[in-house]
Amino acid sequence: MSLNRFIPLMIFCVLSFALYVGLNLNPSDIPSALINDSIPEFDLPVVGGEEASFSSVDLTKEEGIILVNFFASWCVPCYVEQPFLMKLKERGYKIYGISYKDKARDTNKFLSKEGNPYYKVAADEKGRVGIDWGVYGVPETYIIKDGIIRYKHAGPILEMEFEDNFMPIIESIDQ
Amino acid sequence: MIVEIGHYALILACCLSLIQGTFPLYGATKNHGRLMAIASPAAYGQFFFAAIAFGALMYAFITSDFSVANVARNSHTLKPMLYKISAVWGNHEGSILFWTLILSLYGAMVAFFGRKLPKTLHARVLAIQALVGLGFYLFLLLTSNPFARIYPFPMEGNGLNPLLQDPGLAFHPPLLYMGYVGLSVTFSFAVGALIEGRVDAAWARWVRPWTLLAWCFLTAGITLGSWWAYYELGWGGWWFWDPVENASFMPWLIATALLHSAIVVEKRDTLKSWTILLAIIAFSFSLLGTFIVRSGVLTSVHAFATDPERGVFILMFLFIVIGGSLLLFALRADKLQPGGLFAPISRESMLIVNNLLLTVGAVVVLFGTLYPLLRDALTGDKITVGPPFFNLAFGLLMIPLFLVMGLGPSAHWKRTDLKGLSSRLSFVFIASLMAAGISFYMAGGTEIMAAVWLGLGFWLLLSTLFEWANRIKLFKTGTFKRMVRQPRASLGMSLGHLGMAIVVIGIAGTSFWNSEYQGIMAVGDKASIGGYDLTFKGVDGMIGPNYTAVKATFDVSKEGTQLKPLHPQARVYLTPPMPTTEAAILSSFKGDLFVVIGEANSEKYDTWAVRLYYKPLQSWLWAGVALMVLGGLISLSDRRFRMGNVKRGGKTNVA
């Protein structure tokens, strides 16, 4: 019996091991350089106005866990996400919204139509703050405690994502 | 009630597959006739019950029975009937059920057409086929029950991803699955032969039509998907090296190699263990493709159902099926005695080169597809391997392949005189160089690779025609008689190679000479591309059955002649809400004009983003593939392949 004949089998074993490892990774997990870092400094106005809405200092002063959600009226997944954010609001989560590269009129229309789950909304019309936060695309959601970014999620959050990815981190912070 | 009957039928089919997978296998080792005879009726029964299960699910979709969770998630009452039906296989559970149905259909076909096979081989092949099926039945029943009910049930369903609501895509999965699953038959034959310890010319002749059938479906299925991507995704590309495209392309490459190596086994009684290995690998790639799509291990536009638990199940199943058969191969392949010898320059050796290049090509694609995953697993880096890698690595491999492809059919079995071969083909070679040079110059090409690809295309075209002309002794008396009387398999080969040549020329044209225009247009604006002059005449709103759309009008003229206006659309579907583009395409022999309408200026709605593409020779690509499939079907109708005519150890030197 020649050992050469075992080569295909061996290659396959290596391959299936790699696939097994791969199965436990999440390809949509995008690492953030800012995890466990303090939030970048910013000061943003309310949507469509001059007066200040909130700044990095306001977020740092918050006592409990807060969520920061980047969204836009032009982003289709944001429409999908919105009903669940409303549920989160009912469950007592404090969500700060930052409308990303969006026009004031469109943002307001979006919020009045889809509901406003946010404690406060600020406008990042030029997307400068988004760049500092390392936003890949909207929607993106951050978990923040004491001004430190604890977790970042790219893409819409729905019930399942929230239970699987957010809850463990929120629980670990609470302890 | 009907849904429960479907569920029950699925369980019955599962039990039958267990019976079919065990008793005949045992019977074959003991040479027990009655146990082996169970296989055929069990195969028919399995197909019967799988068909009932599938029919029941289809009934639930057609009647929009939203108490079935699967229907509620994937259908909607407003959807046109065609998409209610195609939604049956447009989701995870349904597509696996569909896969299983086809698997059992092939089982029944083997049972029927293989009646003249040696009893033990027949029983073993059917048993292996049933064991593969058993895995899928268990997968369905344990992790992905398509008949699960929900309570309380919703009044309306979620709808199907609008991108998938397209006639091209309604038929893409069935064809592709016929191809994927068709390779299971070759696989069962290979494993059956390993257990028997016997591979000969007759075996190869039984295997070839099944491979050919699967290959035809696979070719058509992949192309239909590519065609869909071309006109539906709206950026004029037709191949993206997306993981799921790759997953269907790898089995195609291996099936193509298998098709050719089986010829060597049939005619020359050699390359046996290699052919067996290819048969196992081809089906392994089919299963791997399923795993990649269903497990969510790679991100892809196709991953519409991902669930790690199912991934673990499929991976275990893969491990048993592929690992088991490769182990069997390692232990038993030595029993296969090599037959005829051949010289380094001969048709056999060229077919080996073909096999090696195709296999290495499949490995390159596999590597490129899985590299991001491996890198992530080892270092945590996120990277993507893009088309540049595939185009370069895979493209380079194809150059020697196409060169040999032109030579092979003109070479003799056993030994070919290199001098004679090159003197016969040298003028074909020079003619193709000239043809490529002239067209390169006339089209105003700048990239050297464009000339290389054109040259390869012409070389393939002319050498294939030359071989065909030689074979029928064109211009000598009796040409017509010879042309009509030649074996269909040879004619199929010529057509297949000719189709490939046309595809290569088409790829050269559409990849190297395409042009593109992107801009903001207001009503009355003009643009020119690829010799066409377009005038934007404005937009109208329209309402479809389950979408609203803006329909634009472009007046098109070429060299002063007015042509039919084009109407690209930008649709927004209602359920689920999602925008899609419907490109307008004006196809011609010379090239495709491709018009896409994008978003409007959000303030005044008076200007629109417009993209125009000109894709030379795009239709050659589709025509070439059609010719390839036609060649495959003609070859399939060859008298030798009709099962009833096959006798073991019969005459092997036909054609």
Side-chain angles (χ1 to χ4, degrees):
Chain A
M1 189 192 316
S2 89
L3 281 177
N4 288 343
R5 304 242 186 256
F6 282 92
I7 292 174
L9 182 64
M10 287 186 296
I11 294 175
F12 172 72
C13 288
V14 173
L15 191 67
S16 45
F17 178 71
L19 288 176
Y20 179 73
V21 175
L23 208 53
N24 298 312
L25 301 170
N26 179 2
S28 57
D29 237 357
I30 299 170
S32 169
L34 290 174
I35 298 280
N36 294 332
D37 236 331
S38 32
I39 51 177
E41 273 180 35
F42 69 90
D43 195 353
L44 285 173
V46 293
V47 173
E50 298 289 312
E51 66 181 290
S53 179
F54 59 86
S55 69
S56 45
V57 180
D58 297 327
L59 296 190
T60 313
K61 276 195 216 145
E62 285 284 348
E63 301 247 312
I65 292 168
I66 53 166
L67 301 177
V68 174
N69 176 257
F70 283 81
F71 70 99
S73 69
W74 45 263
C75 129
V76 177
C78 297
Y79 287 82
V80 178
E81 176 181 66
Q82 214 65 4
F84 184 68
L85 291 183
M86 294 299 288
K87 266 194 207 160
L88 284 182
K89 181 190 180 188
E90 282 162 27
R91 277 158 66 173
Y93 286 96
K94 205 171 196 179
I95 310 172
Y96 281 88
I98 298 181
S99 96
Y100 179 70
K101 290 189 183 170
D102 206 3
K103 296 206 180 70
R105 202 188 66 180
D106 296 338
T107 306
N108 284 328
K109 216 160 84 189
F110 173 79
L111 291 176
S112 59
K113 231 173 114 189
E114 305 296 320
N116 184 349
Y118 304 111
Y119 171 66
K120 271 180 177 175
V121 184
D124 180 19
E125 261 198 65
K126 299 258 180 273
R128 290 275 166 74
V129 173
I131 291 175
D132 290 341
W133 283 62
V135 170
Y136 280 84
V138 274
E140 271 188 21
T141 308
Y142 295 77
I143 302 180
I144 289 159
K145 169 88 204 270
D146 301 328
I148 307 283
I149 296 178
R150 305 301 283 266
Y151 181 71
K152 159 181 175 167
H153 179 85
I157 14 175
L158 297 169
E159 188 86 45
M160 206 173 79
E161 275 89 29
F162 193 80
E163 294 304 325
D164 290 354
N165 300 326
F166 283 68
M167 280 322 284
I169 290 163
I170 290 172
E171 277 162 11
S172 76
I173 297 171
D174 274 345
Q175 278 162 12
Chain B
M1 181 61 192
I2 285 183
V3 170
E4 277 65 37
I5 290 176
H7 192 181
Y8 186 59
L10 193 63
I11 296 171
L12 282 179
C14 180
C15 298
L16 272 176
S17 76
L18 181 66
I19 292 169
Q20 188 189 337
T22 46
F23 291 111
L25 205 59
Y26 179 75
T29 50
K30 297 280 168 207
N31 207 6
H32 190 299
R34 232 179 281 161
L35 282 180
M36 288 195 282
I38 292 175
S40 286
Y44 298 139
Q46 209 200 108
F47 172 60
F48 177 73
F49 288 117
I52 287 181
F54 188 76
L57 186 63
M58 190 175 267
Y59 175 84
F61 267 93
I62 289 174
T63 56
S64 294
D65 182 352
F66 295 127
S67 68
V68 177
N70 191 15
V71 181
R73 268 201 309 276
N74 299 295
S75 198
H76 193 280
T77 47
L78 282 181
K79 237 168 28 171
M81 182 52 77
L82 174 65
Y83 305 125
K84 281 185 187 164
I85 294 174
S86 71
V88 179
W89 55 74
N91 63 80
H92 170 79
E93 289 84 359
S95 67
I96 298 285
L97 180 60
F98 189 54
W99 169 292
T100 315
L101 173 71
I102 296 175
L103 193 70
S104 66
L105 169 67
Y106 274 111
M109 279 162 67
V110 171
F112 184 77
F113 292 111
R115 283 164 302 172
K116 299 266 168 75
L117 286 173
K119 281 221 164 54
T120 50
L121 184 64
H122 191 233
R124 281 175 173 135
V125 170
L126 283 176
I128 302 298
Q129 189 80 6
L131 288 177
V132 174
L134 180 63
F136 278 96
Y137 288 120
L138 290 176
F139 181 58
L140 275 171
L141 291 170
L142 299 179
T143 74
S144 335
N145 183 5
F147 301 108
R149 299 267 195 184
I150 38 170
Y151 187 83
F153 56 83
M155 293 309 290
E156 190 52 274
N158 281 346
L160 176 72
N161 184 341
L163 280 176
L164 305 180
Q165 296 191 23
D166 182 276
L169 214 64
F171 299 108
H172 160 67
L175 285 175
L176 203 58
Y177 281 17
M178 286 297 283
Y180 268 159
V181 185
L183 292 172
S184 70
V185 178
T186 333
F187 172 83
S188 300
F189 264 99
V191 174
L194 279 174
I195 300 174
E196 296 252 300
R198 191 164 157 197
V199 172
D200 53 20
W203 178 86
R205 216 173 313 141
W206 290 313
V207 167
R208 262 181 76 193
W210 295 106
T211 319
L212 202 52
L213 186 66
W215 181 88
C216 287
F217 279 122
L218 210 48
T219 312
I222 292 172
T223 311
L224 205 57
S226 165
W227 185 50
W228 166 79
Y230 174 66
Y231 69 73
E232 177 70 32
L233 296 183
W235 58 82
W238 51 275
W239 191 259
F240 306 100
W241 298 106
D242 173 274
V244 172
E245 281 176 329
N246 293 347
S248 64
F249 191 46
M250 290 184 282
W252 185 85
L253 288 168
I254 300 292
T256 310
L258 177 62
L259 213 53
H260 291 87
S261 78
I263 301 175
V264 182
V265 180
E266 186 190 348
K267 305 268 192 225
R268 303 285 306 133
D269 201 27
T270 191
L271 282 192
K272 291 174 189 174
S273 55
W274 171 247
T275 304
I276 293 275
L277 183 61
L278 278 183
I280 294 173
I281 294 176
F283 186 56
S284 304
F285 272 128
S286 288
L287 290 176
L288 189 71
T290 317
F291 173 75
I292 288 178
V293 186
R294 298 285 150 221
S295 64
V297 74
L298 293 167
T299 39
S300 156
V301 291
H302 291 73
F304 48 85
T306 59
D307 182 340
E309 255 170 53
R310 290 168 178 170
V312 170
F313 188 104
I314 304 182
L315 191 61
M316 271 172 49
F317 177 63
L318 278 189
F319 195 78
I320 295 169
V321 174
I322 305 177
S325 53
L326 287 176
L327 182 67
L328 189 68
F329 172 81
L331 299 174
R332 299 297 295 265
D334 284 347
K335 296 236 188 250
L336 311 174
Q337 296 298 322
L341 299 171
F342 53 90
I345 309 255
S346 60
R347 197 187 282 193
E348 288 95 321
S349 63
M350 292 190 192
L351 285 170
I352 290 178
V353 173
N354 142 315
N355 270 230
L356 287 178
L357 288 169
L358 284 170
T359 310
V360 173
V363 171
V364 166
V365 177
L366 179 68
F367 178 76
T369 311
L370 293 184
Y371 183 69
L373 178 78
L374 297 178
R375 183 76 180 269
D376 190 3
L378 295 174
T379 66
D381 294 345
K382 304 278 180 179
I383 55 146
T384 48
V385 176
F389 163 80
F390 290 106
N391 287 340
L392 182 72
F394 191 78
L396 284 180
L397 274 173
M398 290 303 105
I399 293 174
L401 180 72
F402 292 139
L403 283 174
V404 176
M405 196 171 157
L407 288 174
S410 293
H412 298 297
W413 292 111
K414 286 195 205 173
R415 167 177 308 191
T416 278
D417 169 24
L418 188 60
K419 254 192 201 151
L421 186 65
S422 53
S423 71
R424 262 183 293 153
L425 283 169
S426 58
F427 101 90
V428 174
F429 190 71
I430 293 168
S432 52
L433 281 185
M434 279 168 56
I438 291 169
S439 33
F440 184 70
Y441 176 76
M442 278 173 54
T446 47
E447 277 182 79
I448 194 69
M449 280 315 284
V452 171
W453 280 96
L454 264 186
L456 284 170
F458 279 114
W459 158 248
L460 209 50
L461 187 76
L462 295 176
S463 58
T464 306
L465 287 175
F466 179 75
E467 193 272 336
W468 177 77
N470 258 336
R471 178 152 28 90
I472 62 163
K473 301 202 182 70
L474 200 64
F475 306 128
K476 290 185 185 149
T477 45
T479 296
F480 185 72
K481 215 163 154 192
R482 276 189 298 273
M483 194 164 79
V484 180
R485 288 236 186 114
Q486 66 175 320
R488 297 215 183 133
S490 316
L491 177 63
M493 183 273 285
S494 292
L495 284 177
H497 284 202
L498 218 53
M500 191 71 233
I502 293 170
V503 169
V504 172
I505 295 173
I507 290 177
T510 188
S511 321
F512 292 103
W513 279 280
N514 61 352
S515 45
E516 168 176 348
Y517 162 89
Q518 292 197 22
I520 307 289
M521 292 177 92
V523 175
D525 281 358
K526 291 175 192 304
S528 302
I529 191 164
Y532 292 96
D533 299 303
L534 290 97
T535 314
F536 181 42
K537 301 298 266 188
V539 298
D540 297 304
M542 63 174 279
I543 297 176
N546 55 349
Y547 59 84
T548 59
V550 237
K551 183 170 149 196
T553 303
F554 285 86
D555 274 353
V556 186
S557 66
K558 187 169 192 180
E559 289 153 6
T561 335
Q562 198 70 25
L563 304 169
K564 255 174 67 179
L566 290 175
H567 301 288
Q569 298 177 13
R571 288 183 185 168
V572 177
Y573 278 81
L574 307 173
T575 51
M578 187 167 161
T580 71
T581 63
E582 300 292 311
I585 302 171
L586 180 63
S587 265
S588 80
F589 179 72
K590 282 176 78 177
D592 284 11
L593 173 66
F594 193 103
V595 184
V596 181
I597 182 96
E599 289 192 0
N601 170 334
S602 63
E603 297 287 318
K604 290 196 234 134
Y605 288 89
D606 55 353
T607 56
W608 298 76
V610 172
R611 277 175 297 142
L612 309 173
Y613 301 90
Y614 182 65
K615 302 264 168 193
L617 306 187
Q618 182 72 40
S619 47
W620 287 44
L621 213 122
W622 316 127
V625 174
L627 205 57
M628 281 163 74
V629 174
L630 181 69
L633 293 177
I634 287 180
S635 182
L636 200 58
S637 70
D638 193 296
R639 217 175 32 215
R640 269 177 316 142
F641 292 150
R642 283 182 213 143
M643 289 296 175
N645 293 346
V646 173
K647 277 193 282 270
R648 188 150 205 160
K651 237 172 86 177
T652 55
N653 55 341
V654 192

